[in-house]
Amino acid sequence: MCPGSREEVTRARRWTRDILNGHPCAHDAELIVSELGSNALTHTTSGSPYGTFQLTLSLSPRTVAISVTDEGGHPKEVGPTEADPDDTHGRGLTIVMALARRLDITGSQHGRTVTAQLVAPETAGVTTC
């Protein structure tokens, strides 16, 4: 469980980097943790003074599943948006979808879990994400 502060997203990203040290999907996983954690704080009550979000990593030699669960409070369905070229926000889930093999969003306005799955391709005996 992570406290709902911006600094905690930085800590979650560092924790992810430490856990996945040497994993072929580590870099992409860090970016996804940052995007999903920031979304939870920005768009739900997870970002309130006593809010929290939960980060879960599941891994195998070639795959990583990153799940972020928020505290809800956002009545609209969650999904990627099309940002205008001058917008400074609104591309997070689009970036996650570009990196992930699969993206699942479950839950309701009372709390959602966004799970992104990364799979490292096998290329001539070398795996990279």
Side-chain angles (χ1 to χ4, degrees), residues 10 17 30-31 57 84 88 98-99 114 116:
T10 301
R17 181 175 52 240
E30 272 188 76
L31 180 57
L57 297 177
D84 289 329
T88 58
L99 296 172
V114 180

Side-chain angles (χ1 to χ4, degrees), residues 15-117:
W15 178 77
T16 300
R17 181 175 52 240
D18 291 346
I19 294 295
L20 298 178
N21 186 21
H23 194 283
C25 296
H27 179 74
D28 290 347
E30 272 188 76
L31 180 57
I32 289 172
V33 164
S34 184
E35 290 296 336
L36 297 182
S38 294
N39 282 353
L41 297 182
T42 301
H43 300 294
T44 74
T45 57
S46 291
S48 67
Y50 297 102
T52 62
F53 67 95
Q54 182 175 341
L55 168 63
T56 305
L57 297 177
S58 301
L59 59 138
S60 74
R62 285 192 53 228
T63 64
V64 176
I66 302 125
S67 297
V68 173
T69 302
D70 64 48
E71 291 190 339
H74 195 278
K76 289 176 49 180
E77 288 289 320
V78 176
T81 59
E82 193 166 321
D84 289 329
D86 296 332
D87 288 346
T88 58
H89 297 284
R91 294 175 183 84
L93 278 181
T94 302
I95 292 169
V96 171
M97 288 174 63
L99 296 172
R101 161 90 43 101
R102 180 180 176 155
L103 182 72
D104 293 314
I105 302 170
T106 57
S108 68
Q109 68 182 7
H110 304 291
R112 287 188 177 86
T113 299
V114 180
T115 301
Q117 181 187 38

